[in-house]
Amino acid sequence: MRLHTKLTLFAAAATIVVLGLFVWQLPFLMQKIASGNTNKNLDQQRIKALSAIKKNGIDYYFQGDSAYGSYSMLKDEYISLEPFNRSSDLTRLQTAERIIDGDTINYRILIDTFTTEQHTYLLEIGKKITSIEEDSVALQRATAGVLIGLTLIMALIQLFYTRYLLKPLGFIIRSRLIKKSFPFRERQRTLITSTYDFKYLDQAISRLMQQVNHAFEKEKEFTSNASHELMTPISIMQSKIENILTDPGLPAGTVLKLEETMRIMKRLKKIVNALLLISRIENEQYNRNDTVAVKPMIREVLEELQHRADEKDLTVEERISSIVTLHHVNRDLLFQLFYNLIHNAIRYNTTNGSIIISDEQTPQDYRLYVEDTGIGIDPHQQEGIFDRFKKSTTEREGFGLGLSIVKSIADYQRISITVTSEKGRGSRFELHFSSTHLTK
Amino acid sequence: MRVLIVEDEQSLATEIEAALQKNHFLCETAHTAKDALHRTDTGSFDFILLDIGLPDRDGFWLLEELRKDHTETAIIMLTARGEVEDRIKGLDMGADDYLAKPFSLLELQSRMQAIIRRKFKLNDQSLELGAFTIHIKNRTVHYRETAIPLSRKEFDLLNYLLLHKNRPLSRMQLSDHLWGDNADDEYDSNYIDVHIKNIRKKLNAYADTDWLETVRGVGYKIKTDK
């Protein structure tokens, strides 16, 4: 889940939970406030009643009765006065039932005693409880409605704000991280944001990309320089020896020694060339836009290698379907790949052995097999055969770079290569081309 | 034929010069782009052998400058940078050929010969070799009216020896030319013997091939009267 979605969800959930809690607690809260308010109200009415009694005299209320009662028409409130015999002073608030005009009603009642003209009276002021609760419910409903509205508004605000806030992060991900193929050639657009963290992140990523690019350029430069630096002296030596060899008076022994030196130089040249080739492939210095028909190319390779196969009296069977054309490859590299694989099959074959080159095509992919009846590869050596400089003990010729080149070329062109082999029975190399190689 | 060698590596220039002089080319050497421009301004050359890595200017720049005034001169780029893009760039900019270092002097001379043949339209040239006629363009060998079938490599081998006639070529030089970078050291040297044996066998059926000599300890050469 994306950060933006997560943050929005979290903000909405948190708002709902907090406001929900509040709405849930609202009745208790309202009750508390309402009852506090009622109590205060009752107390104020008590003070009013007492002052009225003081002013009018207690008899004004009794007027010959033994008790006085007054209540509003709706029975919401009442007040009663009656003589109190006990001398103890008691002032309290309580919730109790009273029967007024035959109705039993729950009241919040303030009970007080006071003494006037040497008589003690009991004063009760009551307020109907249902009216308090009704108030509270109405208020609660209104509040809940307002709160739901507020929740929605807050969620929307948060949604838009997080979207706005996280926009730079989306930019960083899209422009710096997604679908980045190395090397990073296109120009980097700059990030515009006031958020320090994103600025810092973007700068750090850009800096890293620059460093990688720089290292890549350095390596490329090294490849080019190494090539020049190594090839020039070899070139001079080769020319010198060639010129010396043209001397007709040269003793035969010297000629042989010079030939030997040339041979060593040639070996050096081949190693340097192989390393440079691998290095160039890994530096992506080759295009991958060629289209190659497999059968003619395999034929071409076989023609080149025919004399070597003849020497070992090898039977070479070519069973390639004539229609397969590969796209998005490099012609020269693919030729080198086929050449090395088939050359390998010849080199490690036994006299009178055979080589079968076959293929298999489905709508999704294409597979090419090079099978030989050669000496095979030990199971424990099979992993290392594509490694540079990891020379197997059975290898007499070559410099252990042929299969490294094969691997580099295959990796570069996104061809998967696998080997199955049995010691003494032969090996089978499988090249697996994906559907991208089959479509234009 | 006048050749200008533009190469900053003194000893390589000397070796190229020595080899070309033996083949009667008149050579001059320039070590910098400035020197090269100066020399081409004051004299005309049939060939310019141009190194890409020069101390003062890039070889591509020099190539562009040279092409402005010298359209007839054959320019062969010599470089240690073997990248395909460089080759294409060089050829696109008007170079006639491209040789990656380290190259064989024989290879260089073969390429120069090929350019001469192209320039002077000598492609259908046929050469007499003993009792045989060799048609370079058609890649055929004839004895009177009869065509003698030679394999591709056999013809290449004969052609290369003929290009450097009267000069012994070692098995390795021949194998280098025939198989290039894919050559195997010992492996291919033996094939030269096999190929020579086959050529002799095919031709001897018609006439003597004493012009194709084995040079003891070295290799082979084609001996002609001229």
Side-chain angles (χ1 to χ4, degrees):
Chain A
M1 204 187 282
R2 287 174 60 194
L3 180 62
H4 169 247
T5 321
K6 276 192 173 175
L7 274 178
T8 310
L9 281 181
F10 168 76
T15 313
I16 288 167
V17 166
V18 170
L19 292 183
L21 259 177
F22 181 61
V23 170
W24 180 55
Q25 283 297 319
L26 202 60
F28 308 102
L29 211 65
M30 294 301 294
Q31 192 96 37
K32 225 172 143 78
I33 292 169
S35 88
N37 214 20
T38 310
N39 293 348
K40 208 171 133 195
N41 218 334
L42 290 173
D43 200 44
Q44 277 170 357
Q45 282 180 344
R46 178 183 69 104
I47 292 164
K48 246 188 206 167
L50 288 179
S51 78
I53 291 165
K54 203 173 177 187
K55 194 177 157 197
N56 301 326
I58 190 84
D59 295 334
Y60 173 82
Y61 294 97
F62 286 105
Q63 289 179 349
D65 276 340
S66 60
Y68 167 85
S70 161
Y71 51 88
S72 71
M73 204 165 60
L74 295 172
K75 301 172 191 169
D76 276 357
E77 285 173 341
Y78 81 92
I79 184 164
S80 88
L81 267 176
E82 58 187 271
F84 191 59
N85 295 329
R86 276 171 288 172
S87 60
S88 62
D89 186 30
L90 102 162
T91 305
R92 64 173 195 273
L93 273 162
Q94 70 173 54
T95 305
E97 287 176 346
R98 290 288 183 272
I99 301 165
I100 292 171
D101 291 349
D103 287 338
T104 309
I105 298 167
N106 244 334
Y107 283 103
R108 182 79 180 154
I109 305 166
L110 181 137
I111 299 167
D112 193 18
T113 54
F114 65 96
T115 308
T116 179
E117 296 164 14
Q118 281 95 47
H119 292 283
T120 305
Y121 298 91
L122 181 74
L123 172 72
E124 275 190 12
I125 301 168
K127 195 173 165 74
K128 204 169 141 191
I129 282 194
T130 46
S131 70
I132 302 172
E133 278 172 357
E134 273 163 14
D135 281 354
S136 136
V137 167
L139 200 62
Q140 197 184 335
R141 276 206 190 122
T143 318
V146 170
L147 287 184
I148 288 169
L150 281 178
T151 312
L152 283 175
I153 291 168
M154 272 179 75
L156 274 176
I157 291 172
Q158 277 167 343
L159 182 79
F160 285 111
Y161 188 65
T162 43
R163 186 178 281 261
Y164 167 76
L165 196 69
L166 292 180
K167 223 173 168 179
L169 187 66
F171 176 85
I172 293 174
I173 291 170
R174 271 196 319 277
S175 69
R176 310 277 192 263
L177 304 176
I178 294 177
K179 282 190 191 157
K180 274 285 152 188
S181 68
F182 184 78
F184 317 115
R185 285 209 175 91
E186 69 262 46
R187 250 182 74 80
Q188 299 293 336
R189 286 178 299 154
T190 41
L191 173 77
I192 303 157
T193 178
S194 56
T195 313
Y196 172 78
D197 308 57
F198 290 143
K199 263 188 196 163
Y200 189 77
L201 180 68
D202 184 54
Q203 279 166 6
I205 291 176
S206 294
R207 211 169 29 244
L208 273 176
M209 281 165 80
Q210 269 170 19
Q211 276 172 9
V212 172
N213 260 349
H214 188 66
F216 175 76
E217 289 301 329
K218 275 265 170 227
E219 201 187 323
K220 231 169 119 175
E221 204 182 304
F222 172 78
T223 310
S224 184
N225 287 346
S227 149
H228 191 84
E229 297 305 322
L230 289 168
M231 288 309 185
T232 305
I234 296 174
S235 204
I236 296 168
M237 282 199 299
Q238 186 174 343
S239 312
K240 274 193 193 298
I241 296 171
E242 277 188 40
N243 274 337
I244 296 170
L245 276 172
T246 56
D247 181 359
L250 218 58
T254 313
V255 171
L256 284 178
K257 277 178 192 159
L258 286 173
E259 280 264 301
E260 187 54 36
T261 314
M262 287 265 277
R263 224 186 295 286
I264 295 164
M265 226 166 48
K266 209 173 110 185
R267 208 170 116 188
L268 181 64
K269 190 169 126 185
K270 276 176 83 171
I271 296 173
V272 172
N273 270 333
L275 287 177
L276 288 178
L277 177 68
I278 293 174
S279 175
R280 277 179 196 141
I281 293 169
E282 286 171 0
N283 267 307
E284 313 213 349
Q285 291 179 20
Y286 290 89
N287 76 60
R288 274 173 290 200
N289 311 321
D290 297 342
T291 298
V292 171
V294 179
K295 199 181 176 83
M297 186 176 263
I298 293 284
R299 285 258 167 95
E300 214 179 312
V301 172
L302 287 176
E303 201 178 322
E304 279 281 306
L305 288 165
Q306 190 58 50
H307 64 288
R308 291 178 195 184
D310 289 347
E311 189 202 30
K312 283 190 168 174
D313 289 321
L314 300 179
T315 320
V316 182
E317 276 184 62
E318 181 256 300
R319 300 180 194 159
I320 303 283
S321 45
S322 54
I323 38 151
V324 179
T325 305
L326 299 171
H327 302 275
H328 310 293
V329 287
N330 181 290
R331 175 162 249 289
D332 297 337
L333 290 183
L334 199 65
F335 184 90
Q336 188 77 42
L337 171 67
F338 291 155
Y339 187 97
N340 285 10
L341 272 188
I342 297 172
H343 190 190
N344 220 52
I346 296 172
R347 180 180 275 173
Y348 300 114
N349 220 316
T350 47
T351 311
N352 291 320
S354 68
I355 294 168
I356 300 170
I357 302 153
S358 56
D359 67 350
E360 201 180 321
Q361 192 193 6
T362 67
Q364 293 82 36
D365 58 4
Y366 176 69
R367 285 160 206 270
L368 191 129
Y369 309 98
V370 178
E371 266 176 282
D372 67 66
T373 53
I375 55 173
I377 309 156
D378 265 342
H380 69 272
Q381 282 174 341
Q382 279 179 25
E383 270 179 40
I385 58 164
F386 294 119
D387 276 3
R388 228 175 281 183
F389 301 118
K390 204 173 227 177
K391 220 183 219 181
S392 94
T393 45
T394 52
E395 200 165 350
R396 289 166 290 107
E397 299 160 280
F399 311 102
L401 287 170
L403 284 177
S404 303
I405 291 174
V406 164
K407 181 74 174 149
S408 296
I409 294 176
D411 286 350
Y412 181 62
Q413 315 207 73
R414 301 191 177 92
I415 303 162
S416 114
I417 179 164
T418 43
V419 58
T420 41
S421 181
E422 207 180 313
K423 188 85 185 144
R425 299 287 295 273
S427 313
R428 172 183 157 114
F429 286 83
E430 178 187 326
L431 294 173
H432 184 191
F433 298 85
S434 68
S435 56
T436 47
H437 291 111
L438 295 176
T439 46
K440 242 180 182 169
Chain B
M1 294 246 172
R2 288 187 72 195
V3 183
L4 176 65
I5 303 162
V6 189
E7 167 66 66
D8 61 319
E9 203 71 45
Q10 176 72 54
S11 48
L12 184 58
T14 312
E15 294 306 323
I16 296 173
E17 196 174 345
L20 293 181
Q21 268 166 357
K22 276 185 194 159
N23 283 297
H24 314 293
F25 285 101
L26 296 171
C27 298
E28 278 183 41
T29 310
H31 298 298
T32 61
K34 208 179 138 196
D35 190 11
L37 275 183
H38 177 70
R39 281 169 197 272
T40 50
D41 282 344
T42 51
S44 73
F45 293 90
D46 300 296
F47 279 99
I48 296 174
L49 309 180
L50 181 57
D51 182 25
I52 286 186
L54 291 169
D56 51 347
R57 293 304 288 262
D58 183 73
F60 288 117
W61 174 85
L62 185 56
L63 175 63
E64 211 169 9
E65 288 297 305
L66 289 173
R67 268 292 171 246
K68 283 179 189 164
D69 300 321
H70 306 273
T71 45
E72 285 301 302
T73 311
I75 299 178
I76 301 180
M77 308 281 285
L78 308 176
T79 176
R81 292 166 37 182
E83 286 91 340
V84 184
E85 287 83 0
D86 276 355
R87 292 181 192 224
I88 294 169
K89 189 176 168 191
L91 294 175
D92 280 351
M93 285 171 68
D96 291 270
D97 209 343
Y98 198 105
L99 263 181
K101 284 181 190 173
F103 53 86
S104 153
L105 290 173
L106 293 179
E107 190 68 36
L108 173 64
Q109 288 168 62
S110 294
R111 302 236 183 174
M112 288 170 77
Q113 302 266 19
I115 289 173
I116 292 168
R117 276 208 302 268
R118 222 161 42 223
K119 290 229 155 176
F120 297 98
K121 310 241 182 307
L122 297 178
N123 269 349
D124 16 347
Q125 187 191 23
S126 53
L127 295 165
E128 300 294 323
L129 203 57
F132 301 94
T133 314
I134 298 178
H135 299 279
I136 290 163
K137 193 188 178 188
N138 307 336
R139 299 172 59 85
T140 54
V141 180
H142 280 84
Y143 173 75
R144 291 192 186 135
E145 298 304 310
T146 324
I148 303 159
L150 289 187
S151 75
R152 205 173 91 184
K153 292 270 184 236
E154 284 164 359
F155 188 87
D156 283 345
L157 182 58
L158 200 61
N159 191 25
Y160 197 65
L161 280 164
L162 197 58
L163 269 178
H164 303 282
K165 59 193 172 198
N166 293 319
R167 163 179 184 163
L169 298 181
S170 73
R171 289 176 181 83
M172 198 169 61
Q173 287 170 324
L174 292 169
S175 125
D176 257 1
H177 175 76
L178 255 58
W179 285 286
D181 281 345
N182 287 324
D184 267 352
D185 306 333
E186 298 296 334
Y187 213 42
D188 287 307
S189 304
N190 300 335
Y191 281 102
I192 301 301
D193 292 336
V194 175
H195 282 311
I196 293 280
K197 214 173 91 188
N198 287 340
I199 293 171
R200 277 187 180 139
K201 206 166 124 191
K202 284 177 183 175
L203 300 187
N204 276 336
Y206 299 92
D208 201 18
T209 55
D210 54 358
W211 42 268
L212 181 54
E213 284 186 352
T214 306
V215 185
R216 262 178 68 87
V218 180
Y220 300 94
K221 79 167 180 187
I222 284 180
K223 190 182 74 181
T224 59
D225 302 330
K226 290 174 209 164

